[in-house]
Amino acid sequence: MKEVIDLKENNILELDIMDIPSSCVVVICDGKAKIRELPQCGEYRIVTHRGKVKRMWREEGEEF
């Protein structure tokens, strides 16, 4: 799976759903798209600053 996709060539985002995880998030900012798999149990945070994505991270946990 390609994690970073450059959108500047043709400005069209094409994803083959057979090549990406069944639970994922696609984030688009500044002509780039990033695909990240979602955790089984946890959170995925996307932090923005001035309308642009600054960082993305995941927190995983487990049921007790």
Side-chain angles (χ1 to χ4, degrees):
M1 175 182 73
K2 191 174 180 181
E3 290 187 356
V4 178
I5 301 166
D6 190 11
L7 298 177
K8 294 188 180 188
E9 294 174 12
N10 57 9
N11 290 328
I12 296 174
L13 176 63
E14 292 183 14
L15 297 173
D16 184 350
I17 61 170
M18 299 303 287
D19 291 338
I20 62 175
S22 60
S23 291
C24 65
V25 62
V26 178
V27 179
I28 302 169
C29 184
D30 287 337
K32 289 188 278 184
K34 291 190 177 187
I35 302 170
R36 296 292 186 258
E37 187 171 4
L38 296 174
Q40 290 292 322
C41 184
E43 297 179 357
Y44 209 98
R45 295 185 183 194
I46 300 167
V47 178
T48 62
H49 179 70
R50 294 187 180 178
K52 298 186 182 205
V53 176
K54 277 306 247 187
R55 61 180 69 90
M56 302 186 318
W57 77 86
R58 62 192 274 164
E59 285 187 35
E60 292 188 59
E62 62 182 69
E63 296 286 329
F64 185 73

